[in-house]
Amino acid sequence: MARKTNKPQNTPCEPCKGTGEVSRTVRVGRERRSAGQQTGICLNCLGFGEIPATD
């Protein structure tokens, strides 16, 4: 009987908490006041929401 090999477990990404998206505050004007938030992909996990485990 062949042995099964376990795949390495992926861990959830810390900055995006596993969603793949992060929010940034948008600032406008000379006084740099806050106008709202804009979402984009997480640069830590590139939008996958998981960090691959290293062997």
Side-chain angles (χ1 to χ4, degrees), residues 4-49:
K4 290 184 180 180
T5 58
N6 291 337
K7 288 185 177 180
Q9 296 294 323
N10 293 340
T11 57
C13 182
E14 285 291 323
C16 67
K17 297 176 183 68
T19 62
E21 293 184 347
V22 291
S23 297
R24 290 287 192 169
T25 302
V26 177
R27 300 188 181 276
V28 295
R30 279 195 319 204
E31 297 172 9
R32 309 297 293 166
R33 61 185 167 91
S34 177
Q37 290 189 342
Q38 181 178 14
T39 61
I41 67 166
C42 177
L43 295 179
N44 197 25
C45 64
L46 297 176
F48 288 109

